[in-house]
Amino acid sequence: MAAPLVIVPIFPLPDVALFPQTLLPLHVFEARYRMMVIDALERNRRLAIVRLQPGYEAGYAGKPAVHAVGGLGEIVSCERLATGRYNILLRGEARLRIEHELPTDTLYRVVRARRLDDAEPAAEAAPELARIRAACRSLLGALSRPADLLDTALAEGQAPGVIADRVAAAVLPDADLRQRLLETLDVTSRVTHVADAVESLVRELKGGRE
């Protein structure tokens, strides 16, 4: 059975991905998105983070193209500043795919979208998760960061897809890669790609590539 459709405002950003079960702090300063925050707080506190397509700059004030897959989030904290701007914290709820954009009289854009579910791994994910954990330990060591910095992301008892998402959000700098991972519903593939990517980061930091 297909997931139900949702109607949600979108916040298009150049290089940001909101993964489920992660937190994303944002500073909201444009008038249209300040109004979006106000309206969301009065409704269900939900909005979607979607990534702008390349070449968005020329049409940024209008309706530039966005990627079809984004992240649905709930505003879990909000601070209104004296300037009228907002600091908000979003908690990722689900991936979603935009079905179509709706006509609206608001300054911000609204879409009808469908939540996306993971395709759970058919095989045991433990070996790939072990790769991710080992690579994260090496990464933190190479960066001289606290060894427990990623303990929440890597904690036992979480679904493999959640671990992959949390690690991707925390440590992978490549925006194109994060978008591809957001679009990857097959958990086996996502976990493997995250393991490969973190291992690649470690190799680069240590001065060599395979």
Side-chain angles (χ1 to χ4, degrees):
M1 182 177 177
L5 291 167
V6 296
I7 294 175
V8 63
I10 60 172
F11 195 170
L13 293 167
D15 293 316
V16 177
L18 175 61
F19 290 90
Q21 308 299 316
T22 67
L23 296 172
L24 177 65
L26 292 171
H27 179 65
V28 183
F29 57 90
E30 286 189 55
R32 54 181 165 174
Y33 299 126
R34 296 202 307 264
M35 183 56 64
M36 180 185 66
V37 169
I38 292 169
D39 289 350
L41 291 171
E42 290 179 350
R43 294 172 184 158
N44 61 6
R45 306 179 74 90
R46 267 70 177 178
L47 57 90
I49 301 297
V50 294
R51 188 177 176 218
L52 289 158
Q53 295 271 15
Y56 69 88
E57 293 87 353
Y60 180 72
K63 295 183 177 181
V66 298
H67 288 268
V69 175
L72 177 66
E74 177 188 7
I75 301 173
V76 293
S77 71
C78 178
E79 176 191 14
R80 187 181 188 278
L81 306 177
T83 57
R85 299 180 177 194
Y86 288 89
N87 288 327
I88 65 173
L89 184 66
L90 286 178
R91 180 175 58 210
E93 281 193 358
R95 289 168 166 81
L96 52 73
R97 183 184 303 279
I98 296 172
E99 299 265 316
H100 60 269
E101 189 163 341
L102 300 173
T104 177
D105 58 1
T106 60
L107 293 173
Y108 54 86
R109 300 160 70 179
V110 177
V111 301
R112 179 175 281 117
R114 192 178 301 277
R115 290 174 182 254
L116 300 173
D117 294 326
D118 278 348
E120 293 301 331
E124 176 59 54
E128 298 304 303
L129 293 178
R131 287 179 59 206
I132 290 177
R133 290 189 171 97
C136 284
R137 286 194 296 270
S138 296
L139 181 66
L140 292 173
L143 294 171
S144 299
R145 303 300 294 275
D148 62 353
L149 189 62
L150 295 173
D151 280 2
T152 299
L154 297 169
E156 299 284 353
Q158 302 179 94
V162 172
I163 293 174
D165 285 345
R166 286 180 163 174
V167 170
V171 306
L172 297 183
D174 187 302
D176 290 333
L177 174 58
R178 290 199 305 270
Q179 181 65 35
R180 291 196 298 273
L181 292 168
L182 191 67
E183 296 172 2
T184 302
L185 302 184
D186 181 273
V187 170
T188 301
S189 178
R190 192 194 310 155
V191 170
T192 299
H193 287 325
V194 170
D196 291 343
V198 181
E199 288 175 349
S200 178
L201 275 180
V202 172
R203 288 196 297 271
E204 290 177 21
L205 286 169
K206 291 184 175 180
R209 295 179 179 172
E210 290 182 359

